[in-house]
Amino acid sequence: MTGQRLSGKVAIVTGAAGGIGFETAVLFAKEGAKVVCADVNEKGVQKTVAKISELVSSGVAISFKADVSKEDQVKALVDKALEEFGKLDIMFNNAGIMHPEDDNALNTEERIWNLTMDINVKGVWFGCKHAIIAMRQSGGGSIINTASFVALMGAATPQLAYTASKGAVLAMTRELAMVHARENIRFNSLCPGPIRTPLLMDFLNTEEKKQRRLVHVPQGRFGEAIEQAYGALFLASDESSFVTGTDFRVDGGLASSYVTPE
Ligand code: NAD
C-alpha cells in the first residue's frame, strides 16, 4: 500500500530512531520522499536508515544525530537536509520525552519540568524556526508537530510537565499556522492517542495500568505507530493543501468519548 504521494519532496523526521518517528520515516521514503532521519540516539537512527535502504533503496535516507533542545544542532540538521537534498518541504517535529519522574503539581521536580519543556516545546520551536527559514527559499512546505491527546483532555493520572508541554505545542502550532499562512507554509499538530510504543508501554508496565486507560478508548485498544505515520503522511502530502492550524487527532475516538462501548 505504498506509492508516490511524496514524490520529489524532502523531509526531516525527528525522533526517527523509534516508535512514530521510525514508522513515519520509513513510510515517507516508501512514498517517494528523501528523508533526513534525526535523533539523539545515533545508533538507533542509523538502524532506521539501514531499514529504509533495505525496504526502499540506499541514498533515499540519511541519518543525523541531533538533540532538538539545542538550537545549533537543529540548525545543523536543517543545513544538512539542504546540503544533501537541496531543499526542505516537510518538517516533522516529532521527538519528545515523557519522563518517568513527571508527576503532579506537588511532586514534579523543577529539573524534570525544565527538561521536558526544553525537548518538547523548545525543540519544536527550534525545528519550526529553521524549517521556516529553509521553506521560504523554496516557496512553502508542511510542518507537523507531534502533540498528544493529553493536550486536549485531562487525566487523573498526571504527568504535568508533559501535558503542559503538549498544550504549548498545540498553541504554538496554531499561531505559526496563522503567521505563515500567506507564505504557503502549513502547520498542523498531530495528536496521537495512546500508542503501543516503548515510550508509553515502559510507563504502563502492568496490566492494571493498561486497563485503567483502555476503558476510555472507544476502539478498546492502543494505537499502532504506523497509524500515526499515515496521519503524518496525509498532513505532509499535497492532499492536505487546504489543511492548516488543526489539532489533527489520530486517537481511536478518545477525545470524542463520554461513555465507551462495553
Ligand atoms: P519513542 O520514545 O519511541 O520515540 C521518541 C524518540 O525521540 C526516541 O527515538 C528518542 O531517542 C527521541 N528523542 C528524545 N529526546 C530527544 C532529543 N532531545 N532530541 C532528539 N531526539 C530525541 O516515542 P513515540 O511514542 O514514538 O513518541 C513520538 C512522539 O509522539 C513524542 O513527541 C511523544 O510525546 C508523542 N506521543 C506519543 C504517544 C504514545 O502513546 N506513545 C501519545 C501521544 C503523543
Side-chain angles (χ1 to χ4, degrees):
M1 215 171 48
T2 48
Q4 292 298 306
R5 292 166 69 184
L6 301 181
S7 181
K9 296 200 185 286
V10 177
I12 291 175
V13 176
T14 71
I20 295 168
F22 168 81
E23 293 292 348
T24 306
V26 172
L27 184 61
F28 281 8
K30 283 182 175 173
E31 289 291 342
K34 299 275 196 303
V35 188
V36 183
C37 302
D39 205 290
V40 76
N41 175 353
E42 190 171 21
K43 284 218 171 82
V45 85
Q46 283 167 353
K47 279 191 194 159
T48 302
V49 170
K51 194 75 193 168
I52 292 172
S53 300
E54 185 191 315
L55 294 174
V56 187
S57 80
S58 60
V60 163
I62 57 167
S63 68
F64 194 86
K65 182 178 186 230
D67 176 344
V68 297
S69 68
K70 307 279 187 286
E71 184 170 7
D72 58 336
Q73 296 186 28
V74 176
K75 182 181 183 305
L77 166 63
V78 173
D79 287 347
K80 182 73 182 171
L82 298 179
E83 183 191 308
E84 202 72 28
F85 298 126
K87 60 174 182 159
L88 181 65
D89 303 294
I90 300 156
M91 182 80 188
F92 186 28
N93 291 307
N94 167 73
I97 61 157
M98 191 169 74
H99 201 284
E101 291 170 49
D102 191 0
D103 199 341
N104 60 26
L106 307 187
N107 297 337
T108 305
E109 289 176 28
E110 195 175 349
R111 71 183 168 85
I112 302 298
W113 180 275
N114 289 340
L115 179 67
T116 304
M117 292 297 166
D118 280 353
I119 297 171
N120 293 9
V121 185
K122 251 207 258 178
V124 171
W125 167 39
F126 292 148
C128 290
K129 176 177 171 180
H130 291 284
I132 290 164
I133 295 167
M135 287 174 180
R136 276 182 168 162
Q137 294 169 28
S138 54
S142 172
I143 299 181
I144 305 149
N145 298 329
T146 306
S148 170
F149 68 98
V150 300
L152 300 165
M153 315 171 70
T157 48
Q159 306 148 272
L160 203 66
Y162 182 81
T163 299
S165 75
K166 294 302 187 180
V169 170
L170 286 190
M172 174 165 52
T173 304
R174 208 176 287 132
E175 187 147 294
L176 288 169
M178 298 306 107
V179 173
H180 300 283
R182 303 275 164 102
E183 293 180 272
N184 198 31
I185 305 176
R186 297 185 294 111
F187 291 81
N188 291 287
S189 295
L190 181 71
C191 292
I195 303 304
R196 217 165 48 89
T197 64
L199 181 132
L200 187 66
M201 293 304 113
D202 291 352
F203 180 69
L204 305 181
N205 53 6
T206 66
E207 201 44 39
E208 193 190 349
K209 285 185 193 167
K210 289 189 179 76
Q211 288 308 324
R212 177 83 172 87
R213 274 81 179 170
L214 281 180
V215 70
H216 298 288
V217 183
Q219 290 195 346
R221 64 171 175 88
F222 292 110
E224 299 295 332
I226 186 67
E227 295 174 306
Q228 300 303 320
Y230 279 113
L233 172 62
F234 170 68
L235 295 172
S237 76
D238 293 338
E239 294 158 17
S240 59
S241 51
F242 204 48
V243 181
T244 195
T246 64
D247 306 341
F248 193 85
R249 288 163 35 202
V250 181
D251 69 352
L254 180 63
S256 298
S257 78
Y258 170 35
V259 179
T260 56
E262 300 263 339

